[in-house]
């Protein structure tokens, strides 16, 4: 090879190298700054759909609040259509309401775990009062997002996702913007969406964080800093200010206040955007996610209108970075916030993780395992990268160790109206144990004292003492009254949606036939409803039995729900009871709290009983706080002796308006029965728990 040729070749190579350094390769890509906006943020999906259809790659995403949720899901690899389907399937309205029941909660306590009482006082270990930090915990949202993210993402660094990503939150202590770029992606998204007043602040790597919209609701400047050289497309769904006639709820007020507070930072950020897309979402509510399709359509329309300018910007941008999948190794596993024995058991099960690739689905599954305990209100995890792999730390947040609750129930359909006071003290003799008391004040009074030994792998043991005064005036009979004393020792087992318990119970009756007896008792339950307060699908069933003095007393009940369409639901409820009519407290009874509303004051009483109720439900309103349902129902029941020789039956039809809310639950009824009588009534609150093997 000649010297001239070598010189020319070297010169050409040098020139090409210099050119490659001085000017980035031409490509087609944009960076997105997605704003907060609650339910309005579903419009982000429509914008993403247009980018996909027009083949415009996304080189990075910075999201605030709902923009962080949508952006984070897109960054881990979900398409816009998949995100739309996930949100419709998840029912964000129900998820944000926190109506989730821990797996290890005993059967019969599902609604009690969800309902917010009239008044609650909580105290820490040092006796200091702990007040609620927000209306909603959004723990269920965290759990759902974590499970979804884990299916696609293994990266600790958010820049190493299929699309580099960052979420924006606000440090509640300093007021500073916090850019979340690594660690627990689901937790970062949860922190970014923590609207003050509505949601509890979220602790993330030692900082107490709230909604990023307070400091950067449309994070354009942050996106410019994180992704230099790319055009930043701002998608602003924050909306304008509402008129006074439109401010009709707490969510409306909070949304308006946030809009006022963020208006300054939004206007300032938008000055730095290369292009602003504003979907026309002003009419969409802040916390109503039932209009996903409409929001997506508005996002598509806005993106389509802006696309010619967007395409020009994308043409001048560098190509997006290449994604390289990584699975870091686990170097250490730790857990904080658990009782010492449970901590040892938890870590022992995960000792084989060390030295293996990080499995995010296994991490999420471990969080779900801890979330199943009734005294754990939330579980989070942190991930830190090190030279030898990642350090994984699970963080369990337990319920306060001291609680005092005041609640009540009232209805003109029943003779039972109560005010009840509950007190719970935890960690008395050992970590994880509980002492619970209940005092029932009303026309019938009662009291309960129960001690629960610590939960061990879904198993726990309890001893319980109950005293309750009861009065009843059966149909066609004189009034009866008695006082019942129960002492029960039980072992409880939970696995998945199943519950079982067994033990011994002794009983003493004073009045209407003094009796005493003891014997084995058992309970078996299946908790398969998707929502105990307002079910759309699933089935729950429960069997309670007590064998005493050669007599079996038992009750079987079920509840099933189906949704033939978006506008209608069908609910079936029913059951059977085996009793002992010779002892009024043990007789099978229909009427009162659930079976026959028209017989509430004068229930049917017999040796055995059967009942069935069918309800056709139309949900009128569905929001984060609950909703409003219109019901058309028909019910029937009968009591009979062993040979069907003596039978009393009854039927009823009626309509109702119900509010299945964790904050305020109530119903109004109009009932027509087989006696050609009309009954009009209401109910407010939740009846106190009655989990006896024999229903009173």
């Amino acid at each position: 090879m000649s010297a001239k040729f070598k010189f020319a070749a070297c010169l050409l190579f040098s020139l090409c190298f210099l050119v490659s350094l001085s000017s980035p390769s031409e490509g087609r890509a944009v960076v997105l700054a997605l704003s907060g906006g609650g339910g309005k943020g579903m419009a982000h999906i429509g914008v993403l759909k247009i980018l996909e259809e027009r083949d415009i790659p996304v080189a990075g995403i910075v999201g605030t609040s709902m923009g962080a949720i949508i952006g984070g899901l897109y960054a881990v690899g979900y398409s816009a259509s998949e995100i739309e389907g996930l949100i419709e399937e998840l029912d964000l309205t129900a998820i944000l309401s926190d109506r989730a029941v821990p797996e290890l909660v005993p059967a019969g306590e599902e609604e009690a775990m969800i309902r917010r009482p009239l008044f609650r006082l909580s105290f820490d270990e040092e006796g200091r009062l702990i007040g609620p930090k927000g209306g909603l915990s959004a723990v269920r949202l965290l759990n759902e997002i974590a499970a979804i993210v884990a299916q696609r993402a293994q990266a600790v660094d958010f820049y190493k996702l299929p699309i580099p990503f960052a979420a924006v939150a606000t440090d509640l202590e300093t007021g500073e913007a916090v850019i979340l770029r690594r660690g627990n992606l689901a937790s970062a998204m949860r922190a970014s969406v923590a609207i003050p007043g509505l949601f509890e602040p979220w602790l993330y790597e030692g900082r107490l964080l709230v909604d990023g919209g307070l400091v950067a609701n449309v994070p354009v400047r942050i996106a410019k800093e994180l992704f230099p050289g790319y055009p930043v497309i701002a998608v602003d769904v924050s909306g304008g200010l509402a008129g006074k006639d439109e401010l009709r709820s707490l969510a409306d007020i909070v949304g308006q206040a946030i809009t006022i507070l963020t208006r300054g930072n939004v206007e300032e950020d938008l000055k730095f955007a290369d292009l602003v897309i504003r979907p026309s979402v002003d009419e969409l509510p802040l916390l109503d996610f039932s209009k996903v399709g409409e929001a997506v359509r508005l996002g598509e329309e806005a993106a389509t209108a802006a696309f010619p300018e967007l395409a020009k910007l994308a043409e001048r941008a560098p190509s997006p970075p290449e994604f390289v999948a990584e699975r870091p190794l686990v170097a250490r596993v730790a857990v904080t916030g658990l009782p010492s024995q449970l901590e040892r058991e938890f870590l022992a099960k995960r000792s084989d993780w060390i030295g293996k690739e990080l499995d995010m689905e296994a991490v999420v599954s471990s969080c779900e395992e801890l979330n199943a305990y009734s005294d754990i209100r939330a579980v989070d995890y942190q991930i830190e990268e090190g030279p030898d792999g990642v350090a994984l730390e699970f963080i369990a947040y337990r319920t306060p160790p001291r609680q005092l609750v005041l609640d009540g129930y009232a209805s003109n359909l029943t003779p039972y109206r109560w005010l009840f006071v509950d007190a719970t003290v935890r960690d008395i003799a050992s970590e994880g144990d509980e002492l619970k008391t209940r005092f029932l004040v009303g026309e019938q009074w009662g009291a309960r004292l129960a001690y629960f030994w610590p939960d061990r792998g879904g198993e726990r043991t309890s001893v319980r003492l109950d005293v309750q005064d009861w009065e009843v005036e059966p149909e066609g009979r004189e009034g009866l009254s008695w006082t019942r004393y129960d002492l029960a020792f039980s072992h409880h087992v939970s696995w998945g949606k199943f519950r079982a318990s067994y033990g011994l119970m002794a009983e003493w009756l004073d009045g209407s036939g003094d009796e005493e007896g003891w014997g084995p008792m058992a309970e078996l339950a299946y908790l398969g409803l998707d929502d105990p307060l307002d079910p759309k699908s699933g089935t729950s069933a429960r069997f309670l039995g007590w064998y005493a003095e050669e007599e079996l007393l038992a009750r079987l009940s079920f509840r099933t729900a189906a949704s033939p369409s978006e506008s209608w639901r069908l609910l079936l409820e029913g059951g059977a009871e085996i009793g002992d009519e010779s002892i009024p407290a043990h007789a099978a009874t229909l009427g009162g709290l659930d079976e026959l509303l028209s017989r509430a004051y004068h229930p049917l009483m017999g040796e055995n009983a059967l009942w069935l109720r069918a309800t056709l439900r139309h949900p009128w309103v569905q929001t984060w706080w609950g909703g409003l349902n219109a019901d058309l129902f028909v019910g029937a029941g009968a009591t009979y002796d062993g040979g069907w020789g003596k039978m009393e039956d009854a039927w009823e039809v009626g309509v109702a308006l119900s509010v299945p809310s964790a904050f305020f639950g109530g119903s109004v009824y109009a009932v027509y029965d087989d006696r050609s009588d009309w009954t009009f009534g209401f109910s407010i609150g939740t009846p106190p728990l009655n989990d006896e093997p024999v229903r009173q």
Side-chain angles (χ1 to χ4, degrees):
M1 184 179 294
S2 68
K4 290 183 178 179
F5 181 82
K6 289 182 178 179
F7 176 78
C10 290
L11 181 62
L12 180 62
F13 176 81
S14 300
L15 288 173
C16 292
F17 179 73
L18 290 173
V19 170
S20 68
L21 291 178
S22 61
S23 58
S25 61
E26 296 295 321
R28 286 167 55 88
V30 296
V31 168
L32 298 178
L34 305 181
S35 81
K40 306 173 194 289
M42 299 299 102
H44 292 316
I45 301 172
V47 176
L48 294 172
K49 277 189 172 183
I50 296 301
L51 294 179
E52 289 179 357
E53 293 174 3
R54 307 294 175 88
D55 195 27
I56 301 295
V58 178
I61 300 174
V62 182
T64 295
S65 196
M66 185 53 64
I69 300 291
I70 303 300
L73 294 177
Y74 198 70
V76 301
Y78 288 98
S79 70
S81 295
E82 286 178 318
I83 297 173
E84 183 179 6
L86 284 170
I87 291 175
E88 290 177 339
E89 181 181 344
L90 286 175
D91 190 356
L92 279 178
T93 301
I95 289 173
L96 288 173
S97 67
D98 289 330
R99 297 206 294 263
V101 180
E103 285 193 0
L104 302 185
V105 169
E109 295 190 13
E110 309 94 272
E111 289 197 20
M113 288 293 297
I114 297 174
R115 294 278 191 191
R116 274 76 166 177
L118 296 174
F119 184 76
R120 185 197 301 270
L121 289 176
S122 301
F123 303 87
D124 63 14
E125 292 83 353
E126 299 178 4
R128 296 174 299 186
L129 181 64
I130 305 172
K133 298 178 181 179
L136 301 169
S137 70
V139 169
R140 187 177 174 189
L141 176 66
L142 171 69
N143 297 339
E144 297 285 356
I145 290 176
I148 293 170
V149 168
Q151 298 177 25
R152 300 287 177 94
Q154 303 293 329
V156 178
D157 188 338
F158 302 167
Y159 276 22
K160 297 179 180 179
L161 295 171
I163 297 175
F165 173 74
V168 182
T170 303
D171 190 314
L172 192 59
E173 190 175 8
T174 66
E176 299 173 340
V178 182
I179 305 172
L180 307 175
R181 296 186 290 179
R182 61 184 55 85
N184 182 348
L185 177 58
S187 189
M189 296 157 72
R190 162 62 179 88
S192 183
V193 82
I195 301 174
L198 289 181
F199 301 115
E200 293 181 4
W202 194 246
L203 194 65
Y204 188 90
E205 297 184 349
R207 306 180 77 169
L208 193 63
L209 305 180
V210 294
D211 195 299
L214 297 179
V215 290
N217 200 40
V218 191
V220 176
R221 284 175 288 180
I222 295 174
K224 285 280 188 180
E225 179 183 343
L226 297 179
F227 302 98
Y230 289 96
V232 174
I233 311 302
V235 185
D236 181 15
V237 297
S238 55
L241 293 173
K244 61 182 180 180
D245 294 335
E246 300 173 282
L247 302 174
R248 298 185 295 269
S249 68
L250 174 61
D252 296 333
I253 300 297
V254 172
Q256 183 87 333
I258 291 177
T259 301
I260 294 171
L261 290 171
T262 62
R263 187 163 51 175
N265 74 61
V266 169
E267 292 175 355
E268 189 62 29
D269 257 302
L270 292 180
K271 295 177 182 178
F272 295 87
D274 296 281
L275 176 66
V276 179
I277 298 176
R278 283 195 178 96
S280 303
V281 293
D282 288 354
E283 300 300 320
L284 298 181
L286 179 69
L287 289 180
D288 185 353
F289 300 89
S290 62
K291 301 179 180 179
V292 177
E294 182 178 353
V296 171
R297 177 182 59 80
L298 293 172
E300 289 177 313
E301 291 176 355
T304 300
F307 186 78
E309 186 177 353
L310 188 153
K312 292 178 182 179
L313 292 170
E315 288 290 347
R316 300 193 295 267
S319 298
E322 184 179 355
F323 169 65
V324 179
E326 295 183 1
R327 277 203 175 214
L329 300 179
V330 178
R332 290 173 298 280
V333 179
V335 61
T336 59
L338 294 180
S340 55
Q341 178 63 29
L342 184 56
E343 177 182 331
R344 288 191 294 270
E345 294 174 357
F346 181 82
L347 292 177
K349 292 181 181 179
R350 286 139 191 96
S351 59
D352 60 346
W353 288 13
I354 308 300
K356 296 181 179 179
E357 291 183 342
L358 178 65
D359 184 345
M360 292 305 302
E361 291 191 77
V363 172
V364 171
S365 179
S366 299
C367 292
E368 292 173 349
E369 179 181 323
L370 294 177
N371 272 315
Y373 293 89
S374 58
D375 65 336
I376 294 179
R377 62 181 180 89
V379 180
D380 198 11
Y381 62 89
Q382 293 180 357
I383 308 177
E384 293 185 5
E385 289 184 295
D388 56 346
V390 298
L392 176 62
E393 181 183 9
F394 293 91
I395 307 167
Y397 300 100
R398 300 179 69 195
T399 57
R402 313 283 188 273
Q403 287 194 350
L404 183 67
V405 169
L406 176 68
D407 211 346
Y409 173 79
S411 174
N412 71 328
L413 292 174
T414 75
Y416 320 124
R417 301 173 188 88
W418 294 286
L419 183 69
F420 43 98
V421 180
D422 292 349
T424 301
V425 182
R426 202 184 63 231
D427 301 340
I428 304 171
S430 60
E431 291 181 300
D433 67 353
E434 287 184 325
L435 180 66
K436 295 184 177 184
T437 63
R438 164 165 287 187
F439 298 95
L440 194 67
V441 181
E443 297 179 27
Q444 285 80 42
W445 60 271
R448 165 173 293 182
L449 179 66
Y451 178 78
F452 293 84
W453 279 266
D455 198 323
R456 294 290 181 265
E459 299 186 26
R460 66 191 318 194
T461 303
S462 68
V463 59
R464 190 186 72 224
L465 175 65
D466 283 285
V467 182
Q468 186 158 1
D469 180 67
W470 203 257
E471 296 180 5
V472 63
E473 189 173 340
E475 185 82 17
R477 308 187 192 185
E478 296 183 356
L480 302 168
S481 63
W482 60 84
T483 303
R484 181 177 178 181
Y485 305 86
D486 290 335
L487 179 63
F489 182 84
S490 307
H491 186 71
H492 311 272
V493 181
S494 301
W495 66 101
K497 296 180 180 182
F498 290 93
R499 306 287 186 275
S501 66
Y502 54 90
L504 291 172
M505 186 178 77
E507 176 194 73
W508 297 266
L509 292 174
D510 182 15
S512 295
D514 296 351
E515 293 286 342
E516 63 181 50
W518 68 277
M521 64 177 182
E523 176 182 4
L524 181 63
Y526 174 76
L527 308 181
L529 290 173
D530 63 333
D531 187 338
L533 291 182
D534 191 19
K536 302 176 183 64
S537 62
T539 298
S540 289
R542 190 179 182 202
F543 170 81
L544 299 164
W546 183 44
Y547 187 80
E549 307 301 319
E550 300 184 351
E551 186 78 30
L552 174 64
L553 305 175
R555 179 176 172 88
L556 173 66
S557 59
F558 74 91
R559 190 182 187 199
T560 186
S563 299
S565 71
E566 293 185 1
S567 303
W568 295 97
R569 300 173 194 166
L570 179 63
L571 281 73
L572 292 176
E573 303 168 89
E577 189 170 353
I578 301 173
D580 181 1
E581 194 175 8
S582 65
I583 303 174
H586 294 170
T589 305
L590 293 183
L593 301 180
D594 46 19
E595 307 99 349
L596 294 170
L597 295 172
S598 59
R599 296 297 198 279
Y601 272 92
H602 303 288
L604 304 182
M605 181 177 285
E607 189 79 7
N608 307 294
L610 290 169
W611 67 281
L612 181 67
R613 175 186 299 273
T615 301
L616 186 62
R617 173 166 293 172
H618 175 64
W620 269 357
V621 178
Q622 289 182 289
T623 69
W624 61 277
W625 54 263
L628 178 64
N629 295 330
D631 294 347
L632 174 64
F633 61 87
V634 57
T639 58
Y640 59 94
D641 63 18
W644 297 90
K646 179 183 177 183
M647 177 185 292
E648 291 185 87
D649 59 6
W651 60 262
E652 62 186 23
V653 296
V655 294
L657 291 176
S658 60
V659 181
S661 170
F663 299 93
F664 174 87
S667 300
V668 292
Y669 303 91
V671 186
Y672 181 80
D673 60 36
D674 58 293
R675 301 167 298 184
S676 300
D677 288 338
W678 282 94
T679 302
F680 301 93
F682 71 91
S683 65
I684 301 175
T686 307
L689 176 65
N690 188 347
D691 59 356
E692 312 294 341
V694 181
R695 182 179 181 274
Q696 298 179 343

